[in-house]
C-alpha cells in the first residue's frame, strides 16, 4: 500500500511504502511508521492532552450539574435528562465510530470527532437554554467517545512498538483523571459566580485540540467496506433501547421507581435491546457476535467490568453526598479532589507498569482489596467529617478504580483480536455498555438504598424527639436562649430551636445512611475478592492461564508482521 510520506502528512509529493511491522493492526487503525524522536514526543503530548479533554466532557458535567441546574432554573428531573443525554450517546457511539473508521478512514474519523467537539462546546457559549443544553450534551457524549480513541491512537504513535499496547491503555485510562480534576478546578472557575467560565474553558480546550490534530496528523490506515444495510436497522434499535435504559436508571432515583412511565421505559428498553440482539444473532455478517458475547468468558468479563463500576460509583455518590450532608465543604475541597486526581493518575500509570498479560487477575484482586479497605474506613463518618478525613480512603478507591482498567481492557482486547477484527465491535459494545450501564446502575442502586436507610434512621431518631424527653427539652431551651438577641418572640424562638433540632436529626440520619452505603460497598468488594481469589489460587496451582489461547494467537499475528 502506498501513501503520502508519514514524515510529512500534509505534503503532496513523495510516496512511502509501509514495512510489514508498520502496517495497521486492523482496518480502521492508523499505521505505525518509524517516527523520529521529536515527532514521537509530539504524538505522545497530543495524546495526553486529548485524553484529558475527552474526560472533561463528562467530568465538568458531573462536577457542575447542580450549578447548571440552578443557572437554567431546572427541576432535578430536568437536570437528570442532561445526564441521560450524555450517557445514551456515549454508551453506543463507540460501535458506530469504529465501523466509520473502517469504512471512511482515520482522517475522516478525526474530522468528524473534532467537528462534534467544537459544535458541542460552541453552542454552550451563547447560553441558549435547556433544549440546546440537551443537544450539546448529547453531542459531547459522541465527541468524548471519539476523543478517547484518538488519545489512544496518538499515544501509541509516540511509544516504541513493544509499548504500544501500553499507549492504548494509557490513552483510555488517563481520561478518568479528568473527572476528579474537573471537580478540583470548578470552584476556582466559579469563584465569581459566572458559569460561563466553564463553557469558555471547554471551548478553548476544544480549539487547541483541533489545532493539535491538524498540525500533527495520524498516519493513514486501511479501509474496508464495513457498513451493511441491516446495520441501519440494528444500531438505531439498540441505541434507543440503551437510551431508555439510561433514562430509567437516572430518573428512577430522582422521581422514584414507582413512577408509572419508568416501568414502560424499562420494558421498552428490554424489548428493543433484545430485538437488536435477535437480529444480530441470525445475520450472516453480524455487527454484534451474539454467540461470542453470550459465552461464559465474555459474560464474566462484562460482569466484572460492571461490578467494578458499581463499586467505584460510591465515589461519585457516597463520598460527595457525605461531604454535602456534613456541610463542611470548604477550601479543603480543592485539595481533596487534587488528591483524588493524583491517586487516579498513579492508578493509571502503575496499572500499565505492572501489567502482566499472563496474570491479569492479580491487579483486579488488588483493586478489590483496596476498595474494600477504603470503603470500610469511611463507615464511621459523622457530622464533623470533612474532606481532610477522606483523603486516604477515597484516594485509595480512586486509585483502584483506574488500576483495574488496564487488565480489564487488555483481557477484552486479547479475546477480540484473537477472534479477528470483526469481533472488535462486539468487544467495544460489551465494554462500553458494561461501563456506562454499570456506573448508572451503581449510583441508582446506592441512591435507592440510601433513601430507604435514611428513612429508617429518621424513624429511629424520631423516637427520641419527644417533648417528654428531658435532654431534648433542655437542648431546645439552650438553642432558644442563644437566639434571644435575634428573635424577640419567645414562641418563635422555641419553634426555631425545635426546627434546628429536627434538621440536625435529618442530617445525622443522612450521614448514618451513607455509612450503611459504605458497609454495603465494602461487603460486596470483600465477597467479590474472596470469590475471585479462590479461582485465582486454583488456576495458579494447576498452571492454568485463562488467556493461554488468546496469547498464542497474538504471538502468531506478531510473527506474521515481522
Amino acid at each position: 500500500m502506498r501513501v503520502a510520506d508519514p514524515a510529512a502528512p500534509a505534503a503532496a509529493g513523495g510516496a512511502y511504502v509501509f514495512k510489514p511491522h508498520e502496517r495497521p493492526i486492523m482496518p480502521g487503525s492508523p499505521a505505525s511508521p518509524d517516527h523520529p524522536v521529536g515527532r514521537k514526543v509530539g504524538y505522545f503530548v497530543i495524546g495526553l492532552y486529548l485524553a484529558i479533554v475527552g474526560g472533561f466532557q463528562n467530568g465538568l458535567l458531573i462536577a457542575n450539574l447542580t450549578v447548571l441546574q440552578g443557572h437554567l432554573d431546572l427541576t432535578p428531573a430536568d437536570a437528570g435528562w442532561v445526564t441521560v443525554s450524555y450517557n445514551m450517546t456515549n454508551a453506543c457511539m463507540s460501535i458506530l465510530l469504529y465501523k466509520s473508521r473502517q469504512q471512511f478512514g482515520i482522517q475522516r474519523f478525526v474530522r468528524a470527532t473534532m467537528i462534534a467537539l467544537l459544535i458541542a462546546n460552541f453552542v454552550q457559549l451563547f447560553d441558549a437554554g435547556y433544549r440546546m443544553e440537551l443537544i450539546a450534551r448529547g453531542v459531547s457524549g459522541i465527541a468524548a467517545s471519539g476523543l478517547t480513541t484518538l488519545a489512544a491512537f496518538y499515544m501509541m504513535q509516540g511509544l516504541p512498538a513493544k509499548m504500544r499496547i501500553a499507549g492504548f491503555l494509557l490513552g483510555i485510562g488517563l481520561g478518568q483523571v479528568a473527572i476528579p480534576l474537573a471537580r478540583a478546578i470548578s470552584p476556582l472557575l466559579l469563584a465569581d459566580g459566572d458559569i460561563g467560565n466553564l463553557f469558555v474553558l471547554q471551548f478553548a480546550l476544544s480549539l487547541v485540540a483541533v489545532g493539535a490534530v491538524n498540525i500533527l496528523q495520524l498516519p493513514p490506515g486501511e479501509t474496508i467496506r464495513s457498513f451493511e444495510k441491516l446495520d441501519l436497522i440494528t444500531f438505531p434499535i439498540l441505541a434507543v433501547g440503551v437510551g431508555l435504559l439510561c433514562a430509567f436508571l437516572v430518573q428512577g432515583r430522582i422521581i422514584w421507581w414507582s413512577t408509572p412511565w419508568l416501568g414502560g421505559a424499562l420494558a421498552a428498553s428490554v424489548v428493543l435491546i433484545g430485538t437488536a440482539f435477535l437480529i444480530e444473532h441470525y445475520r450472516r455478517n453480524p455487527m454484534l457476535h451474539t454467540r461470542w458475547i453470550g459465552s461464559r468468558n465474555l459474560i464474566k468479563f462484562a460482569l466484572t467490568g460492571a461490578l467494578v463500576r458499581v463499586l467505584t460509583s460510591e465515589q461519585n455518590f457516597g463520598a460527595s453526598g457525605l461531604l454535602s450532608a456534613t456541610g463542611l465543604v470548604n477550601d479543603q475541597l480543592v485539595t481533596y479532589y487534587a488528591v483524588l486526581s493524583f491517586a487516579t493518575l498513579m492508578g493509571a500509570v502503575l496499572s500499565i507498569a505492572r501489567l502482566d498479560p499472563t496474570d491479569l487477575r492479580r491487579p483486579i484482586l488488588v483493586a478489590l482489596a483496596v476498595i474494600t479497605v477504603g470503603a470500610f474506613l469511611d463507615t464511621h463518618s459523622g457530622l464533623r467529617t470533612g474532606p481532610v478525613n477522606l483523603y486516604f480512603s477515597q484516594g485509595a478507591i480512586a486509585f483502584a478504580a483506574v488500576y483495574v482498567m488496564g487488565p480489564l481492557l487488555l483481557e477484552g482486547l486479547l479475546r477480540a483480536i484473537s477472534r479477528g477484527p470483526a469481533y472488535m465491535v462486539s468487544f467495544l459494545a460489551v465494554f462500553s455498555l458494561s461501563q456506562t450501564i454499570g456506573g448508572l446502575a451503581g449510583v441508582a442502586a446506592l441512591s435507592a438504598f440510601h433513601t430507604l436507610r435514611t428513612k429508617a434512621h429518621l424513624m429511629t431518631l424520631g423516637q427520641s424527639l419527644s417533648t417528654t424527653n428531658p435532654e431534648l427539652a433542655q437542648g431546645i431551651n439552650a438553642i432558644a436562649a442563644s437566639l434571644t438577641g435575634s428573635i424577640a418572640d419567645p414562641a418563635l424562638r422555641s419553634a426555631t430551636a425545635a426546627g434546628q433540632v429536627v434538621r440536625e436529626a435529618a442530617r445525622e440520619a443522612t450521614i448514618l445512611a451513607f455509612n450503611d452505603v459504605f458497609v454495603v460497598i465494602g461487603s460486596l468488594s470483600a465477597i467479590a475478592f474472596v470469590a475471585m481469589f479462590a479461582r485465582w489460587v486454583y488456576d495458579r496451582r494447576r498452571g492454568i492461564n485463562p488467556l493461554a489461547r488468546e496469547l498464542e494467537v497474538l504471538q502468531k499475528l506478531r510473527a506474521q508482521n515481522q
Side-chain angles (χ1 to χ4, degrees):
M1 181 181 68
R2 287 184 171 271
V3 297
D5 183 357
Y16 183 87
V17 180
F18 285 122
K19 304 177 184 70
H21 70 277
E22 296 177 333
R23 295 177 66 85
I25 298 175
M26 60 185 64
S29 301
S32 301
D34 295 326
H35 300 295
V37 175
R39 195 182 312 137
K40 283 187 176 182
V41 173
Y43 276 124
F44 190 82
V45 171
I46 292 174
L48 287 173
Y49 181 78
L50 293 178
I52 297 300
V53 174
F56 267 144
Q57 302 303 305
N58 186 35
L60 289 174
L61 171 63
I62 294 175
N64 300 285
L65 187 59
T66 302
V67 178
L68 182 67
Q69 178 182 337
H71 175 71
L72 295 177
D73 194 23
L74 306 178
T75 65
D78 291 336
W81 286 115
V82 177
T83 302
V84 172
S85 180
Y86 175 88
N87 283 283
M88 66 183 293
T89 56
N90 185 255
C92 294
M93 284 309 297
S94 59
I95 302 172
L96 191 62
L97 292 178
Y98 178 77
K99 293 180 76 70
S100 298
R101 294 200 314 271
Q102 288 186 312
Q103 178 139 347
F104 302 113
I106 190 68
Q107 292 307 324
R108 290 186 179 181
F109 164 73
V110 172
R111 286 195 291 272
T113 299
M114 292 297 103
I115 290 172
L117 179 67
L118 278 178
I119 291 174
N121 293 326
F122 180 71
V123 296
Q124 289 181 308
L125 292 175
F126 300 97
D127 200 9
Y130 176 54
R131 291 183 179 178
M132 190 57 69
E133 182 66 24
L134 287 176
I135 295 173
R137 291 301 174 182
V139 178
S140 292
I142 299 173
S145 181
L147 282 171
T148 299
T149 304
L150 276 181
F153 284 159
Y154 268 87
M155 297 193 78
M156 290 171 72
Q157 296 293 323
L159 292 172
K162 293 182 178 180
M163 297 180 61
R164 278 174 189 152
I165 189 64
F168 179 84
L169 300 176
L170 189 60
I172 294 177
L174 284 178
Q176 303 300 314
V177 180
I179 296 178
L181 186 60
R183 289 186 181 272
I185 67 173
S186 291
L188 304 177
L189 293 171
L190 298 174
D192 60 357
D194 184 8
I195 195 175
N197 295 334
L198 294 174
F199 302 144
V200 171
L201 173 65
Q202 283 186 275
F203 184 64
L205 291 173
S206 64
L207 278 179
V208 175
V210 170
V213 299
N214 279 281
I215 291 173
L216 186 57
Q217 296 181 10
L218 287 171
E222 298 175 343
T223 59
I224 60 172
R225 182 178 177 181
S226 177
F227 285 105
E228 297 184 2
K229 291 181 180 179
L230 207 53
D231 294 339
L232 301 178
I233 298 176
T234 302
F235 182 79
I237 292 175
L238 179 65
V240 173
V242 171
L244 289 172
L245 183 57
C246 291
F248 170 78
L249 294 173
V250 172
Q251 295 290 6
R253 64 188 180 90
I254 297 174
I255 61 178
W256 202 242
W257 309 99
S258 57
T259 304
W261 71 263
L262 286 175
L266 178 61
S269 72
V270 172
V271 171
L272 289 171
I273 294 174
T275 300
F277 275 77
L278 186 64
I279 294 173
E280 291 298 302
H281 190 74
Y282 291 103
R283 284 180 64 177
R284 178 177 299 177
N285 297 310
M287 179 174 65
L288 301 175
H289 292 76
T290 54
R291 292 174 178 82
W292 184 62
I293 292 175
S295 64
R296 183 179 64 179
N297 288 331
L298 257 290
I299 291 175
K300 287 167 60 178
F301 167 77
L303 290 178
T304 302
L307 174 64
V308 171
R309 288 290 289 156
V310 169
L311 296 176
T312 54
S313 64
E314 176 264 2
Q315 197 149 58
N316 290 328
F317 170 74
S320 59
L322 173 66
L323 292 175
S324 298
T326 60
L328 295 180
V329 177
N330 48 32
D331 55 355
Q332 294 177 348
L333 199 58
V334 174
T335 306
Y336 168 73
Y337 284 115
V339 169
L340 297 193
S341 300
F342 179 76
T344 303
L345 178 61
M346 289 299 99
V349 173
L350 289 178
S351 174
I352 295 168
R354 300 287 297 169
L355 198 61
D356 180 3
T358 64
D359 189 8
L360 294 177
R361 295 286 188 257
R362 187 195 300 256
I364 299 175
L365 290 171
V366 171
L368 289 173
V370 171
I371 293 172
T372 301
V373 173
F376 279 125
L377 285 175
D378 291 337
T379 56
H380 303 292
S381 301
L383 291 171
R384 304 305 301 170
T385 298
V388 68
N389 305 113
L390 303 179
Y391 284 173
F392 179 78
S393 58
Q394 291 302 309
I397 292 177
F399 170 88
V402 182
Y403 186 73
V404 76
M405 291 297 292
L408 274 178
L409 271 170
L410 184 56
E411 178 182 343
L413 280 172
L414 289 174
R415 293 193 184 280
I417 292 174
S418 66
R419 291 271 180 169
Y423 285 79
M424 281 298 296
V425 174
S426 301
F427 158 67
L428 291 171
V430 170
F431 184 76
S432 298
L433 292 177
S434 69
Q435 293 299 291
T436 301
I437 301 303
L440 294 179
V443 172
L446 294 178
S447 176
F449 177 77
H450 178 265
T451 299
L452 296 175
R453 292 304 300 161
T454 299
K455 292 180 179 179
H457 287 300
L458 271 176
M459 293 179 63
T460 302
L461 293 172
Q463 296 175 1
S464 63
L465 296 180
S466 171
T467 54
T468 59
N469 186 333
E471 294 182 0
L472 176 63
Q474 184 179 359
I476 292 176
N477 291 334
I479 295 174
S482 67
L483 298 173
T484 302
S486 56
I487 302 177
D489 186 350
L492 183 58
R493 282 202 304 270
S494 297
T496 303
Q500 288 188 14
V501 170
V502 172
R503 285 193 296 273
E504 286 299 303
R507 285 180 60 207
E508 184 174 352
T510 300
I511 293 170
L512 290 173
F514 276 119
N515 287 340
D516 294 339
V517 169
F518 298 143
V519 170
V520 169
I521 292 296
S523 300
L524 287 176
S525 300
I527 293 171
F529 173 83
V530 171
M532 292 191 68
F533 181 75
R535 180 66 189 187
W536 179 77
V537 170
Y538 176 85
D539 288 343
R540 296 284 288 184
R541 287 186 174 181
R542 291 181 173 267
I544 299 174
N545 183 355
L547 293 171
R549 175 190 171 277
E550 286 77 8
L551 289 171
E552 182 180 352
V553 173
L554 186 62
Q555 288 295 332
K556 292 180 180 178
L557 290 174
R558 284 180 174 178
Q560 293 173 1
N561 290 330
Q562 293 300 321

